[in-house]
Amino acid sequence: MSAKNSQQKREKEKQVIDQMIAIYCRKNHRHLHKENGLCSACEELRRYARMRVDRCPFMETKSFCSQCKVHCYQPKMQEEIRKVMRFSGPRMLLYHPGMAIWHMISTLKG
């Protein structure tokens, strides 16, 4: 995989994470929203997840973090992102069907 393709993959993965966190926050933390649409806890999780994607040394060979043999998330953040993904994953088909289908295909290829 070329550096350009690897960077595109990183950006796509960050877009998926952003959307999943946005869905989760909008549905579970309505009363905590800030101007940018996320509560402070979800914004912290979003920044953390994006940083982990940026630093991932396995981006060229892995599909998604959930499929990776090395879990680089801190335990607290790992549990938080799992909650978000369990909640938002099925809802992605309703809110972002193209992104959800891309994610499923990428995961199966993995």
Side-chain angles (χ1 to χ4, degrees), residues 9-102:
K9 187 175 174 186
R10 283 181 201 277
E11 291 306 314
K12 191 71 170 176
E13 189 164 337
K14 288 190 287 188
Q15 289 174 2
V16 170
I17 289 168
D18 287 352
Q19 293 304 320
M20 291 181 102
I21 292 172
I23 291 169
Y24 179 84
C25 191
R26 186 171 51 245
K27 298 293 183 181
N28 292 285
H29 302 150
R30 267 186 276 243
H31 61 288
L32 300 173
H33 277 206
K34 304 282 183 179
E35 286 181 32
N36 69 354
L38 295 178
C39 70
S40 58
C42 288
E43 178 59 28
E44 178 185 354
L45 179 61
R46 186 189 75 80
R47 280 196 309 267
Y48 182 83
R50 290 175 69 85
M51 185 236 346
R52 298 308 330 167
V53 170
D54 283 337
R55 293 183 179 175
C56 179
F58 306 110
M59 187 56 65
E60 290 183 18
T61 58
K62 74 174 179 85
S63 55
F64 291 95
C65 295
S66 60
Q67 306 296 317
C68 192
K69 301 282 186 238
V70 177
H71 294 291
C72 61
Y73 277 57
Q74 296 170 357
K76 176 184 177 247
M77 294 301 222
Q78 189 175 13
E79 183 54 35
E80 289 303 312
I81 201 71
R82 277 190 184 135
K83 269 196 311 195
V84 167
M85 290 182 177
R86 273 192 301 266
F87 180 87
S88 298
R91 290 163 178 84
M92 285 290 285
L93 279 171
L94 295 171
Y95 293 100
H96 302 286
M99 195 177 281
I101 291 168
W102 171 84

